[in-house]
Amino acid sequence: MQLVELLNRIPVIESHGENNREVSELVFDSRKVSENSLYIALRGTVVDGHSFIASSIEKGAKTIVCEEFPENLDENITYIKVKDSAKTLGHLASNFYGNPSEKLKLIGVTGTNGKTSVSTLLFDVFKNLGYDSALLSTVEIRIGEEIIPATHTTPDVITINKILAKAVEKGCEFAFMEVSSHGIAQNRIEGLTFKIAGFTNLTHDHLDYHKTFDEYLKTKKRFFDGLNENAIAITNVDDKNGNVMLQNTKAVKKSYALKTMADYHGRTLEVDFNGMLLNFNGKEFWTTLTGKFNVYNLLLVFGIASELGFEQDEILQAISILKRVNGRFETFKSDGGIFFIVDYAHTPDALENILDSINDIRTKNERLITVFGCGGDRDHAKRPEMGNIASKKSTLAIITSDNPRTEDPNQIIKEIEAGVEPQNFSKYTSIPDRREAIKMAIKFSEPKDIVLVAGKGHENYQEINGVKHHFDDKEIINELWQLMSK
């Protein structure tokens, strides 16, 4: 692609060198530069890409986009000075791949909990409606039937545009994308045109990265502030931060709720471990998904599909045949009558939601045994909070390891234990080895009891001292149950 086309609609402060240059690819990692690459120098928290301009030129880069020119300019190289390289990268990537987000109806879902579930459920609903779509989520990236392994919550903006361009090429009309706070903060959605932005909720998470809740909230809000007047913003008004998201947006404002008046209103009529009878905007339907958080997830799916012009009866029919999202309230009953639930809940709010959902369903004749932990090298403040929630809302809470990463699992457990209130001291125990913790839960349980294993959900590994070891909660439960029931 010609450089002059790439720079379309991009504000340039100053340029030096030939503008009519051919660009073979966009690169922000100097190690990946090849002949005729355009190298974008990004300022990172640890490394400044401006330090690698010379080595990029040696490897074949002919165009450099940067925030300040090097001292010595090479006459054979084109230098483009911009105010913010990270933001410019998004617009360059969009232009390079033919602005694919403008050719699709791109739907972004953000919030603390429910992003993956809603994005995946939307993909599945639209498949049920007869449409091939693209999905960009934590768990997987899909273009129709093709599955691409996911490596980040929000991929880099070059990868996003590459995937969206492929979706356009394959005839997709819709793309559903999980939008993380990290992705927003790091400008990974810059230059994308969203048709609809959905907000799930905002609770305590990622404060290791954002430092304060206010900064976390402002980062999420940036997504909605960046929407244009042709977009639609749909928010959960039962969450106190729901309306905050809409304060400065140019988008058309829509709402959904269970407790208050909204454009899309839902009610739970019946609920058990097999599913729920729900009422959305006066229409009843059954779903195999269960739990209050799933009512919110499905209501947002219903609202988004409605805003995209589909008939509500048609949407509800597509929702009613949905299967559960991998690792989200996945349930299975052992032949010994014990009910197992595996869920990704790894924040205080998510853990409380799933425990409340289970307690709403159970008759209290069964005991609820919860196995959970907290990830290492992440937000410390949520640990005692989760210890308090689990011990208060379970018959027995077994505190164990999640992904300790580079931290000592015993230290993480101590921080979780600090939140347990004195009246609940007899309701918890700690076993650092996750396999042994699950084993104890099975050993302690009796027919009809409920065992919740929370925190990892779809993940099939445990990260210890920087090494990923294979570990799948569902596999471990099945394996231990078979061994222990012989």
Side-chain angles (χ1 to χ4, degrees), residues 238-291:
D238 282 345
D239 186 290
K240 63 179 184 287
N241 298 298
N243 281 319
V244 175
M245 295 295 139
L246 305 183
Q247 280 172 1
N248 302 314
T249 190
K250 294 175 192 161
V252 175
K253 299 173 185 180
K254 295 287 179 174
S255 60
Y256 69 100
L258 303 181
K259 301 172 187 172
T260 51
M261 291 294 291
D263 297 302
Y264 299 98
H265 188 269
R267 281 191 303 130
T268 305
L269 305 176
E270 290 174 26
V271 59
D272 62 31
F273 287 120
N274 297 312
M276 301 180 288
L277 181 64
L278 303 176
N279 182 307
F280 284 0
N281 281 13
K283 297 175 187 290
E284 286 185 20
F285 69 102
W286 174 262
T287 172
T288 59
L289 277 68
T290 196

Side-chain angles (χ1 to χ4, degrees), residues 48 163 190 251 255 263:
D48 186 347
I163 291 162
E190 192 69 34
S255 60
D263 297 302

Side-chain angles (χ1 to χ4, degrees), residues 395-462:
T395 312
L396 172 68
I398 303 173
I399 303 169
T400 188
S401 294
D402 191 299
N403 289 321
R405 299 185 178 90
T406 64
E407 275 195 78
D408 176 1
N410 291 301
Q411 183 55 39
I412 297 171
I413 288 168
K414 275 183 187 173
E415 290 180 31
I416 298 170
E417 289 175 332
V420 180
E421 294 175 347
Q423 66 269 29
N424 296 320
F425 282 172
S426 62
K427 293 174 64 187
Y428 90 93
T429 189
S430 302
I431 302 175
D433 185 300
R434 192 173 180 92
R435 181 189 170 89
E436 289 301 313
I438 294 170
K439 188 176 181 179
M440 185 191 173
I442 296 171
K443 200 172 180 180
F444 183 73
S445 57
E446 296 173 355
K448 295 188 179 177
D449 283 349
I450 301 152
V451 176
L452 167 66
V453 182
K456 295 182 65 57
H458 63 279
E459 290 180 352
N460 60 3
Y461 64 87
Q462 197 171 21

Side-chain angles (χ1 to χ4, degrees), residues 9-37:
R9 297 185 292 185
I10 293 173
V12 173
I13 295 171
E14 188 183 346
S15 66
H16 183 278
E18 187 186 326
N19 255 1
N20 200 23
R21 219 179 252 293
E22 188 69 28
V23 173
S24 61
E25 62 176 343
L26 306 179
V27 182
F28 59 85
D29 182 342
S30 61
R31 294 167 297 183
K32 296 178 180 176
V33 168
S34 60
E35 195 64 27
N36 293 326
S37 292

Side-chain angles (χ1 to χ4, degrees), residues 115-149:
K115 299 184 296 294
T116 306
S117 293
V118 173
S119 304
T120 307
L121 291 169
L122 278 164
F123 179 87
D124 291 339
V125 162
F126 276 70
K127 187 178 179 182
N128 293 344
L129 288 168
Y131 291 85
D132 268 349
S133 306
L135 169 69
L136 293 90
S137 84
T138 321
V139 180
E140 63 183 6
I141 293 167
R142 298 188 66 167
I143 302 170
E145 294 300 316
E146 184 185 351
I147 300 173
I148 303 161

